[in-house]
Amino acid sequence: ETKVEEGMQVSFLDYFIPEHIQYYDVSEVGDGWNWLDDTAKAFPEAQNCRHCGGCNRACPKGLEVENGVAQVVSGDFGAAALTFDQCVMCNLCTLSCPEHIRPNHLGLFARRMKAARTLRPVDLMRRLREIDSGKMKVEFEEEAM
Ligand code: SF4
Ligand code: SF4
């Protein structure tokens, strides 16, 4: 998110395969009373955060990643969803975490859980209804072959 400058060096991160991939099904969230158990089951390593701050220092968006991890672990999904709201999923926090927590995926989990248990925005509901009824037409550009 910055312009190219004289003397700038650019490096690329190889795709990496995490040691442990978290699986969960948002449609099985239920009424939300089991979020703490769901989190511990999908992200057991999140409780091992050693508060080293590595994720904070790695984040190009300046997010309070370490706090976000603590918020999810404590069950405060609303606060965590806000903390990770601007996350671009660059994976730098995950690469920097000595506990293999994958903070950005934990944050995405929190955002999905919150969305699954939150009332839908009324403007979006109305717009979707207009599209479904044909009142509003949506045209997609054909991709050039
Ligand atoms: S993945 Fe998100 S939280 Fe992690 S370093 Fe990148 S922008 Fe920050
Ligand atoms: S890098 Fe990992 S262990 Fe360190 S503060 Fe962030 S989440 Fe916790």
Side-chain angles (χ1 to χ4, degrees):
E1 295 189 355
T2 188
K3 290 182 179 171
V4 175
E5 296 169 14
E6 184 78 24
M8 179 182 282
Q9 295 184 357
V10 178
S11 58
F12 294 89
L13 296 170
D14 285 337
Y15 179 75
F16 69 98
I17 298 174
E19 286 184 6
H20 160 66
I21 297 177
Q22 294 81 15
Y23 292 101
Y24 55 87
D25 186 344
V26 176
S27 66
E28 292 178 1
V29 169
D31 57 14
W33 286 104
N34 294 318
W35 274 0
L36 288 173
D37 290 338
D38 293 340
T39 307
K41 196 168 144 200
F43 293 86
E45 56 286 299
Q47 299 176 46
N48 302 333
C49 176
R50 58 175 87 167
H51 307 292
C52 65
C55 49
N56 283 0
R57 288 191 295 278
C59 182
K61 299 291 289 179
L63 306 184
E64 299 272 342
V65 185
E66 181 185 332
N67 271 350
V69 170
Q71 286 160 345
V72 181
V73 169
S74 68
D76 194 348
F77 283 71
L82 277 176
T83 301
F84 286 100
D85 189 46
Q86 301 288 318
C87 173
V88 293
M89 296 300 283
C90 67
N91 272 326
L92 288 175
C93 53
T94 280
L95 285 170
S96 71
C97 181
E99 294 290 346
H100 307 291
I101 289 175
R102 303 183 84 205
N104 52 329
H105 291 272
L106 189 66
L108 189 59
F109 173 74
R111 291 162 71 190
R112 286 173 170 160
M113 290 297 177
K114 179 172 176 261
R117 303 301 309 162
T118 306
L119 292 175
R120 301 295 179 250
V122 66
D123 288 345
L124 179 59
M125 284 194 298
R126 287 196 192 114
R127 184 67 79 212
L128 290 171
R129 179 175 286 191
E130 286 172 4
I131 293 169
D132 283 345
S133 67
K135 190 173 166 192
M136 180 180 182
K137 292 214 181 315
V138 181
E139 292 175 10
F140 298 99
E141 284 184 23
E142 295 281 330
E143 275 190 36
M145 296 295 285

